[in-house]
Amino acid sequence: MTFDKIVFGIALVALLAAGAANAAEYEVVQKNKAFSPKELNIKVGDTVKFTNEDNFFHNVFSLSDLKTFDLGSYPKGEFKSVTFDKAGKVEVECAIHPSMLMIINVQ
Amino acid sequence: MKLKGDKLARNLLLASVVALGACATTAQSEQEQRLVFEAGHPSLQYWLLPDKPPYPKDNEPTAERIALGKQLFFDPRLSRDGNISCASCHNPMLGWSDGLPTGRGFRGALLGRASPTVINTAYNSIQMWDGRKKDLEDQAIGPMEASVEMNTDFDQMFRFLRNNEGYRTAFAKAYPGEEINKETIAKAIASYERTVISNDSPFDRWIKGDKSAMTEQQVRGFKVFVDPDKGNCEICHSAPNFTDNGFHNIGLASVDGGKGDPGRFAHKPIKILKGAFKTPTLRDITLTAPYFHDGSAKTLMEVVEHYVKGGEVKENLSPNIKPLHLTQQEKEDLVAFMEALTTDHEPVTLPKLPLK
Ligand SMILES: [Cu+2]
């Protein structure tokens, strides 16, 4: 691959990422039985990916009025993503470990 | 366009923050993997409990509160028939449990679940097998309200307490200016429960540096307990109170994948919680047989065999439960290790209950 092509490739990826309905992607990690960050501000249409970095399974769910989902549970290194399509506050939890809690403010 | 640029920058910033965080925590967990199994080694100190358990701001334990709570805990007159106290099911002579597979309550009613020990509940961040109570204050009135447990007639109980000079004085000293009501009763009982603690077992002494506190076999059992490729018990029975305050379906036959007792699922309808129960502490575990919330395991070896099998029922089983590859020696080591988690307590003294 030539240098030109690489640059073009990167530009294309960036364009696609940005172009996807003007959406950004954020990462939240689950590590040492806690979400990090604990609070996140995003915009409508943005996507958050939840990555497990502990040596055991975690779950990700929300029963918030704004958005309910249950991503099941998955081991270290794996992630699942959620796109937030309405403005408001979403509480995200791990069903296995109730002290794991975070807030996403969708603006 | 500018907006997109902003977002990208924000993202990059976030990514680097996340990456930094990951570095710091990876180092920490690598350190955990580099445990040195020697008495008193610094890498093991995270197993020691804090000296005093936490308490809510508005209920600092005082000698008066603890003394009152102890009276209430042991007083059967709080129940409708005047014959069941907290200590009937959480009996200090039976490891603050009752020795039964599942509890027996009002006029012998058979309860659906085992009476858990009260020992070290003060260190836990959530109460009950299904986590339906958040702390000890929140929990304490529940057994009086439950028709199958103490089935308390509250009018009768408040009349008794408010007309009893001994209790009136004790409440006035413990909670000056406050009424005798559910809240002060709960606070006093919780204060007493915060004194029911196990933190001086052979294991604790060994962690603090006493080489002779645990046998070689028990040290081997400890290694099996924490080794992800052997027992892998620590991921749930984690330091320092041998619980993650979490909920897991460990595949008990009676739970039947959640078709039996739904456990935590009744309070949080998330699929993984069907048949999931709270990880109990293992401190003082030799005092509280039979084991599991259904009392289905009579001995610690039966418990170990359950885990070796990877559970009886695989449906909706916690993904953290897998069949284990342990030799007979390793199983015995594991049991020996759990036997090192019991504190040699001073006998519990009983309170004098005020007759009038
Ligand atoms: Cu979790």
Side-chain angles (χ1 to χ4, degrees):
Chain A
M1 206 186 248
T2 68
F3 177 72
D4 269 14
K5 270 185 192 153
I6 294 174
V7 169
F8 174 73
I10 291 172
L12 188 69
V13 168
L15 205 74
L16 280 175
N22 195 15
E25 190 184 70
Y26 293 83
E27 183 177 39
V28 168
V29 299
Q30 296 176 298
K31 182 78 198 167
N32 295 333
K33 280 181 209 137
F35 285 103
S36 169
K38 290 215 178 323
E39 190 157 1
L40 183 64
N41 297 324
I42 65 170
K43 296 234 154 49
V44 171
D46 289 351
T47 295
V48 179
K49 95 185 209 192
F50 297 91
T51 309
N52 182 358
E53 295 195 351
D54 272 326
N55 290 322
F56 41 85
F57 284 74
H58 284 297
N59 157 271
V60 182
F61 82 93
S62 178
L63 295 178
S64 299
D65 292 339
L66 192 74
K67 182 121 188 142
T68 54
F69 55 89
D70 175 8
L71 304 185
S73 62
Y74 43 92
K76 188 174 186 157
E78 290 186 16
F79 66 86
K80 284 189 184 167
S81 299
V82 179
T83 300
F84 293 86
D85 36 26
K86 267 186 255 157
K89 184 169 133 181
V90 183
E91 285 173 354
V92 180
E93 301 172 60
C94 165
I96 303 171
H97 307 109
S99 61
M100 293 179 63
L101 200 75
M102 75 159 305
I103 302 228
I104 297 180
N105 299 305
V106 190
Q107 283 135 10
Chain B
M1 214 44 214
K2 180 164 182 308
L3 195 85
K4 281 178 198 163
D6 272 4
K7 243 182 212 167
L8 217 69
R10 218 168 54 201
N11 260 339
L12 285 174
L13 193 73
L14 189 87
S16 58
V17 168
V18 167
L20 272 175
C23 286
T25 46
T26 314
Q28 190 181 332
S29 70
E30 269 161 21
Q31 187 187 338
E32 269 172 37
Q33 280 155 23
R34 274 187 267 113
L35 297 182
V36 178
F37 292 88
E38 274 167 19
H41 196 274
S43 67
L44 302 175
Q45 300 307 305
Y46 69 101
W47 279 102
L48 291 180
L49 285 162
D51 277 345
K52 290 263 184 295
Y55 57 84
K57 268 202 198 72
D58 66 348
N59 194 26
E60 187 177 350
T62 61
E64 291 79 13
R65 291 172 179 181
I66 293 167
L68 169 61
K70 185 171 185 174
Q71 290 179 315
L72 295 169
F73 191 91
F74 282 95
D75 199 333
R77 295 170 298 178
L78 304 188
S79 68
R80 181 176 299 258
D81 281 355
N83 64 342
I84 301 184
S85 70
C86 308
S88 303
C89 302
H90 304 286
N91 184 338
M93 293 183 287
L94 295 166
W96 301 87
S97 178
D98 53 16
L100 298 168
T102 65
R104 285 277 181 182
F106 186 69
R107 296 183 190 164
L110 184 62
L111 306 184
R113 295 176 185 163
S115 308
T117 183
V118 168
I119 291 164
N120 286 6
T121 49
Y123 288 100
N124 296 343
S125 57
I126 192 159
Q127 303 293 333
M128 311 306 270
W129 284 111
D130 54 15
R132 66 185 184 273
K133 302 287 182 185
K134 65 178 194 306
D135 59 23
L136 294 175
E137 278 81 358
D138 188 26
Q139 193 280 332
I141 301 298
M144 300 179 206
E145 287 169 344
S147 58
V148 288
E149 296 191 9
M150 295 165 77
N151 195 16
T152 297
D153 174 338
F154 281 92
D155 288 342
Q156 171 194 306
M157 183 190 74
F158 285 125
R159 221 176 305 124
F160 161 67
L161 290 175
R162 288 170 188 154
N163 291 330
N164 182 297
E165 208 183 305
Y167 270 124
R168 267 211 315 272
T169 316
F171 272 96
K173 281 194 197 152
Y175 297 99
E178 291 183 58
E179 262 185 68
I180 299 180
N181 56 24
K182 285 188 183 174
E183 192 185 333
T184 44
I185 293 171
K187 282 177 161 179
I189 292 176
S191 300
Y192 175 58
E193 289 173 309
R194 291 196 175 96
T195 66
V196 180
I197 279 171
S198 167
N199 64 1
D200 192 28
S201 64
F203 173 70
D204 294 296
R205 292 178 187 211
W206 186 84
I207 296 282
K208 288 180 187 157
D210 177 356
K211 279 195 195 65
S212 64
M214 287 213 293
T215 64
E216 274 176 34
Q217 181 182 27
Q218 289 172 326
V219 176
R220 286 200 308 271
F222 180 32
K223 288 186 201 163
V224 174
F225 189 87
V226 300
D227 186 341
D229 300 319
K230 296 280 183 184
N232 200 26
C233 316
E234 188 189 0
I235 58 166
C236 300
H237 297 281
S238 18
N241 200 26
F242 289 85
T243 175
D244 57 357
N245 288 292
F247 296 85
H248 313 269
N249 179 339
I250 64 162
L252 296 176
S254 76
V255 167
D256 197 10
K259 293 195 279 292
D261 190 334
R264 180 75 172 153
F265 186 78
H267 304 279
K268 287 254 177 213
I270 301 298
K271 180 171 180 293
I272 194 170
L273 296 177
K274 245 184 224 170
F277 292 81
K278 191 182 67 186
T279 311
T281 184
L282 300 182
R283 289 181 178 270
D284 281 13
I285 192 69
T286 57
L287 308 179
T288 59
Y291 303 110
F292 297 138
H293 79 271
D294 60 358
S296 59
K298 288 192 195 65
T299 63
L300 289 174
M301 189 48 99
E302 280 184 38
V303 169
V304 169
E305 295 291 1
H306 173 87
Y307 286 111
V308 167
K309 224 187 267 176
E312 295 287 338
V313 180
K314 313 287 174 179
E315 195 186 325
N316 213 45
L317 183 67
S318 157
N320 283 312
I321 299 283
K322 300 234 163 62
L324 306 175
H325 306 285
L326 300 182
T327 63
Q328 185 59 29
Q329 184 67 56
E330 285 167 336
K331 291 188 222 170
E332 281 163 21
D333 295 352
L334 201 45
V335 170
F337 168 64
M338 288 192 273
E339 287 168 354
L341 302 180
T342 301
T343 296
D344 184 15
H345 297 278
E346 295 289 321
V348 174
T349 59
L350 296 176
K352 285 193 182 122
L353 299 183
L355 292 179
K356 14 179 206 175

